[in-house]
């Protein structure tokens, strides 16, 4: 038996055509958006008159009758999600631990002014955002086990060296390098997971993966409090040991990841050939037509750049990601300024992040079950808005601390929900990888703004900072509404047949559809148009 290619998007499909009653598992994706069936879609669903027009069945010679789909999904979850979530925990811990380190006299030891500290936070986001799109393209072209492991190893070294700096310039250099190497993990893993799961299964996995950020917030406070007892060990202050220990853990995890991270479904060593076949067929049955083969063409990348969904999604994601970094970087300081000293302030962040973790996973589960990602995004952003309104008007420490819980429950669940929503509505492997990277990258560049809004002179209530975060949330809520209404309108047009293509030998008499393209088969239309194909329905 010959070895499968290293990338599922390059796997060559067989030449057999798909027949009614084939072995691929039926889609579990439920949507009431697809009530109408056009002539083109009836051909795709298997009418014998147009059987030669439909897409070939992936690995048609493989018998998959013995594969239990539920057990297969649990197996994927076990091998993929826990370790990737742990890696993101380390990633978020490494980038935000500077907020914990600040409480242990880092700024005084490095002779930093308030403005210099804010610049050190800001510079991370520039390199982080710049390298996200290139990194996702590299991930697509290389093996994830190599690319992601290398990135982790290198940023772990940068994190460790950050604990050895002695001045402002050294801190800036390490923060830039940390952002550059961390850039590939979050967009890369979200794209990577979309290569394994159906659209209706991706949300909860993205939520669990992202919930590692909330766990890192809780764990970061506990870890910083514990490491603070190493003050003076080896002549190093407590803040330096926070960077050194966390960096060394990341280096070890990066080395281990080379053997732990799986690549793509067609080469997964923990799956049998029948199981690998089922994974690809499941994706194809869920309108992810590129799952069995797509070669790099600039045409696909340009489609991402010219797609209105990409640009609206960038603004939408900004409405949640800007507040995320402001919240995570300054929560310890906010609580500290409410009257708690360094260690109690760090410890009081733990229950906030714990609740956010639970809510994040709950929202992901509901969104997958009911497909209402847009509505849930609106609800979460509204909750976050209420939290920040209270923070702005409150002059009571207890009330402000309660508002922090609302803010966390509004911000954190929104991030993976939006990413899943964007991923659900983009088809084409390269297009999806670029779109996800652009959306996340643009959101992250706003971390450069939000990391500067909490100025020391505004303590303890930080009215300006809270007001700017509230502005971001309002932008997110407005763009969510625009995105939801636009997708709904586009689905309605496809229901009416306004987007139908001409398929040769099927509906050539409908010359008025020529504006939508003319194709030799439905398979060609799917492959060329991706989510713009008339049979594709957007997730609301």
């Amino acid at each position: 038996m010959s070895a499968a290619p290293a990338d599922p998007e390059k796997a060559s499909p067989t030449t057999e055509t798909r027949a009614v009653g084939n072995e691929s598992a039926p889609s579990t994706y439920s949507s009431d958006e697809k009530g109408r069936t056009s002539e083109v879609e009836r051909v795709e669903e298997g009418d014998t008159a147009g059987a030669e027009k439909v897409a070939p069945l992936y690995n048609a010679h493989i018998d998959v009758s013995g594969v239990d789909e539920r057990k297969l999904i649990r197996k994927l979850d076990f091998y993929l999600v826990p370790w990737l979530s742990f890696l993101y925990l380390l990633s978020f811990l490494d980038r935000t631990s500077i907020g914990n380190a600040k409480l242990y006299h880092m700024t005084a030891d490095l002779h930093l002014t308030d403005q210099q500290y804010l610049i050190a936070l800001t510079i991370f986001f520039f390199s982080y955002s710049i390298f996200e799109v290139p990194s996702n393209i590299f991930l697509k072209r290389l093996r994830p086990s190599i690319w992601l492991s290398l990135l982790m190893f290198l940023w772990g070294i940068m994190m460790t060296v950050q604990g050895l700096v002695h001045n402002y310039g050294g801190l800036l250099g390490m923060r830039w390098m940390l952002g550059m190497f961390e850039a590939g993990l979050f967009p890369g893993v979200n794209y990577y997971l979309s290569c394994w799961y159906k659209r209706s299964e991706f949300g909860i996995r993205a939520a669990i993966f992202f919930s590692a950020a909330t766990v890192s917030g809780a764990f970061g406070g506990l870890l910083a409090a514990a490491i603070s007892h190493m003050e003076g060990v080896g002549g190093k202050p407590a803040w330096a040991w926070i960077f050194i220990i966390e960096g060394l853990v990341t280096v070890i995890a990066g080395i281990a990841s080379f053997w732990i991270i799986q690549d793509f479904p067609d080469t997964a060593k923990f799956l049998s050939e029948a199981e690998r076949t089922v994974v690809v067929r499941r994706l194809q049955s869920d309108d992810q037509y590129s799952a069995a083969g797509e070669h790099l063409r600039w045409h696909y990348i340009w489609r991402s750049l010219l797609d209105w969904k990409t640009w609206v999604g960038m603004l939408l994601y900004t409405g949640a990601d800007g507040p995320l970094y402001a919240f995570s970087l300054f929560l310890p300081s906010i609580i500290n300024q409410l009257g708690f000293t360094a260690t109690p302030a760090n410890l009081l962040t733990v229950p906030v992040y714990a609740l956010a973790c639970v809510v994040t996973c709950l929202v992901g589960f509901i969104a997958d079950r009911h497909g209402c990602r847009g509505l849930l995004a609106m609800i979460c952003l509204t909750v976050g808005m209420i939290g920040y309104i209270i923070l702005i008007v409150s002059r009571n420490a207890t009330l402000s601390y309660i508002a922090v819980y609302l803010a966390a429950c509004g911000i954190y669940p929104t991030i993976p929900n939006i990413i899943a929503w964007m991923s659900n509505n983009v088809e084409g492997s390269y297009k999806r990888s670029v779109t996800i990277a652009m959306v996340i990258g643009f959101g992250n560049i706003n971390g450069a703004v939000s990391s500067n809004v909490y100025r020391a002179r505004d303590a303890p209530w930080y009215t300006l900072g809270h007001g700017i975060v509230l502005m971001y949330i309002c932008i997110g809520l407005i763009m969510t509404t625009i995105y939801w209404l636009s997708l709904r309108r586009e689905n309605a047009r496809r229901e009416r047949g306004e987007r139908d293509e001409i398929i040769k030998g099927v509906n050539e008499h409908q010359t008025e559809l020529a504006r939508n393209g003319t194709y030799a088969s439905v398979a060609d239309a799917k492959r060329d148009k991706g989510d713009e194909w008339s049979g594709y329905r957007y997730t609301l």
Side-chain angles (χ1 to χ4, degrees), residues 111-361:
H111 309 291
L112 303 180
T113 64
D114 181 52
Q115 187 62 33
Q116 287 176 324
Y117 173 73
L118 293 177
I119 292 174
L121 297 183
T122 303
I123 196 171
F124 169 90
F125 295 101
F126 285 112
S127 58
Y128 189 79
S129 301
I130 289 170
F131 289 101
E132 283 187 306
V133 173
S135 179
N136 251 23
I137 295 176
F138 272 113
L139 176 69
K140 183 75 184 87
R141 301 295 294 173
L142 300 175
R143 292 168 51 193
S145 59
I146 294 177
W147 183 244
L148 295 179
S149 301
L150 178 63
L151 291 179
M152 285 207 65
F153 179 77
L154 292 175
W155 101 56
I157 292 177
M158 297 303 108
M159 181 67 178
T160 303
V161 175
Q162 191 172 264
L164 305 178
V165 300
H166 298 287
N167 52 49
Y168 173 56
L171 181 64
L172 284 184
M174 291 305 101
R175 292 290 292 177
W176 171 272
M177 298 298 289
L178 187 66
M180 183 174 71
F181 291 125
E182 279 201 37
L185 184 72
F186 188 63
V189 169
N190 276 289
Y191 163 71
Y192 170 75
L193 288 175
S194 73
C195 293
W196 289 85
Y197 294 101
K198 289 183 180 182
R199 292 189 292 168
S200 60
E201 299 166 343
F202 178 56
I204 183 60
R205 277 81 186 179
I208 293 173
F209 169 66
F210 180 75
S211 67
T214 64
V215 174
S216 78
F219 183 66
L222 291 172
L223 185 60
I227 296 176
S228 67
H229 295 294
M230 295 183 67
E231 174 73 38
V233 174
K236 299 290 182 186
W239 63 265
W241 281 114
I242 291 175
F243 294 141
I244 293 170
I245 291 177
E246 293 178 4
L248 290 175
V249 171
T250 302
V251 168
I252 295 171
I255 295 172
S257 293
F258 178 75
W259 290 277
I260 296 176
I261 293 178
Q262 303 295 323
D263 289 320
F264 290 104
D266 67 314
T267 59
K269 296 178 181 178
F270 69 98
L271 298 178
S272 66
E273 187 172 12
E275 289 173 328
R276 292 194 290 267
T277 300
V278 169
V279 172
V280 175
R281 290 186 189 177
R282 291 177 76 254
L283 296 176
Q284 290 178 318
S285 73
D286 190 43
D287 287 344
Q288 298 188 48
Y289 329 120
S290 59
E294 182 177 271
H295 297 284
L296 175 60
R297 291 171 56 192
W298 285 104
H299 166 73
Y300 299 135
I301 296 176
W302 278 114
R303 281 212 162 158
S304 174
L305 297 176
L306 298 176
D307 192 343
W308 67 268
K309 299 193 304 299
T310 302
W311 299 95
V312 173
M314 289 162 64
L315 292 173
L316 197 168
Y317 187 73
T318 294
D321 208 38
L324 171 71
Y325 285 111
F327 186 89
S328 59
L329 287 169
F330 287 95
L331 181 59
S333 295
I334 293 171
I335 296 177
N336 176 241
Q337 291 299 320
L338 293 178
F340 300 95
T341 57
T343 296
N346 275 326
L347 294 177
L348 283 172
T349 66
V350 175
V352 177
Y353 286 117
L355 179 62
C357 178
V358 172
V359 176
T360 297
C361 293

